[in-house]
Structure formats: structure tokens, C-alpha cells
Amino acid sequence: MPSVYARRVGVLASAAALAALTSLVNAPTAQAAPPTPISASAARAYLATVTPQTEGSTSGYSRTLFPHWSTVSGTCNTRETVLKRDGVNVVQDSACAAVSGSWYSEYDGATWTVATDLDIDHVVPLAEAWRSGANSWTTAKRQQFANDLTRPQLIAVTDNVNQAKGDQDPGTWLPSRTAYRCTYGRMWVQVKQYYGLAMDSREKTALVNILDGC
């Protein structure tokens, strides 16, 4: 009898292990996201080298000076590529438009199932870039910046949250979802560092404060 009981326990344990493995295999796809930004320590190290500068003006600025959304492949442009990347179970039509899927907005914690409820945020806004040095760039470089899928510069978020952010930097605007602020600060610093964009004093102070808590 003990040996039969032991075998039975062994079979149940094996079944439980198999069920656990199956649940892992069949688990929903993890939420996609922009490229992983530099570490908090790397961001802090860069900030230590930054000498704040007075922000420039928006004189001469226009969004058209930052051509977007560029074609990535076929009929897919940058916006649709980010929607596909940042969503779960995204289905696109023949024109590459997202017709179904689910998107989690990291800025505010909202989940959406209609693509038109989302904007693609430029983490470092175009007007902010203009005031920070992009006014002297070529159109080709501004186009690269506005469509950058390699750096953590683009993210799908709730449309009215993106509109409320506008062209503000971390000195005056941060995601309401505090759990994402460290990531947002790392993203911001990496993009500014890569493109050699200046920071003003309030912006740098806000970033230092965020990253010191990461």
C-alpha cells in the first residue's frame, strides 16, 4: 500500500509540474515596450557631466521640420510599427493599420483596445528638441529623431495624456504613474545624450531627483 501511495503522489506531482509548464508556454505574450533605456547609474553618470544651458526659443519651429511618420517597410509607417510593437495580439489590415489588439499606456496605467485612443509620444518632444539644439540640424537628422525606433524615443500612450504633456520636459511634466518615472527619466537622458541635446537647469534637477530614487 505505501508503494502504491508513493507512486500516486509521484504521478500527481508530475501532473502538477506538467500543468505549470503548460501554463507558462500558453501564458499571454508579455507587454511589448520601447528599447530598454540605459541604466539609472549610467544616466546619473551622464547627468553629472551636463552643464545646464538656458533653453532656446521656438522661433522658426514647425512640426513639418521633423518629417514623420516615415515608411518603415511596405505600407507600414513608424506609427503603425510602434503600435504593433507596444501592443499585445495586434492585428493589422492590408494597409498596416491596427484593427484590433490591446495596449497598456505606461504613463497612466490605462488599457485600450482601439488604436485611435493612442498617440505615439516623442519622449523628448519635437519642440523641446528644437529649443535644445535641433534647430541647427539638417532635415535628415530631424527626420531620424522623429522616427527613431532604435533609441527609447517613441512609445504608444493614451492620446489625451500625450496631448497634456505637449512639449514639456521633466521639469514641468512627468507620467502620473509614478512606477514608470525611473524608466521615463532613463529614456529621456539616453535620447538627449545620443543626440547631444542641451538641458536647462530645472530639467536637469528634476532628472537628478528622479534617478537618485531609482
Side-chain angles (χ1 to χ4, degrees):
M1 180 67 97
S3 62
V4 172
Y5 177 76
R7 283 199 301 273
R8 211 170 266 171
V9 170
V11 169
L12 289 172
S14 297
L18 179 60
L21 178 61
T22 301
S23 68
L24 285 174
V25 171
N26 295 328
T29 304
Q31 176 65 42
T36 302
I38 58 174
S39 67
S41 59
R44 287 192 294 268
Y46 175 69
L47 285 173
T49 71
V50 171
T51 300
Q53 299 180 29
T54 301
E55 195 167 76
S57 74
T58 52
S59 176
Y61 168 74
S62 168
R63 286 179 66 85
T64 61
L65 295 173
F66 293 78
H68 64 288
W69 303 107
S70 298
T71 299
V72 176
S73 66
T75 58
C76 299
N77 65 21
T78 312
R79 172 183 163 81
E80 298 301 343
T81 300
V82 174
L83 285 173
K84 176 73 171 178
R85 182 199 68 191
D86 289 2
V88 173
N89 298 324
V90 177
V91 175
Q92 296 171 306
D93 63 18
S94 59
C96 206
V99 293
S100 65
S102 176
W103 293 268
Y104 178 76
S105 172
E106 294 283 7
Y107 288 0
D108 58 332
T111 297
W112 303 98
T113 56
V114 179
T116 53
D117 287 325
L118 296 127
D119 279 354
I120 307 305
D121 179 44
H122 290 97
V123 172
V124 176
L126 305 183
E128 163 66 20
W130 179 269
R131 295 190 298 262
S132 304
N135 60 320
S136 65
W137 291 354
T138 63
T139 299
K141 186 171 181 179
R142 287 194 287 263
Q143 181 171 10
Q144 177 197 358
F145 177 83
N147 298 275
D148 193 345
L149 294 167
T150 304
R151 264 64 53 181
Q153 162 67 342
L154 301 171
I155 183 171
V157 297
T158 302
D159 54 2
N160 60 359
V161 171
N162 179 55
Q163 290 153 23
K165 172 186 171 180
D167 64 354
Q168 298 179 80
D169 67 35
T172 54
W173 188 93
L174 288 168
S176 61
R177 184 169 163 260
T178 55
Y180 199 67
R181 289 183 179 179
C182 278
T183 301
Y184 184 78
R186 290 158 51 207
M187 295 164 78
W188 185 283
V189 171
Q190 180 176 348
V191 172
K192 282 236 163 168
Q193 178 184 22
Y194 181 82
Y195 285 97
L197 292 169
M199 294 186 188
D200 64 38
S201 181
R202 183 169 57 178
E203 173 189 358
K204 178 182 175 179
T205 297
L207 289 164
V208 168
N209 291 337
I210 293 165
L211 293 164
D212 278 351
C214 298

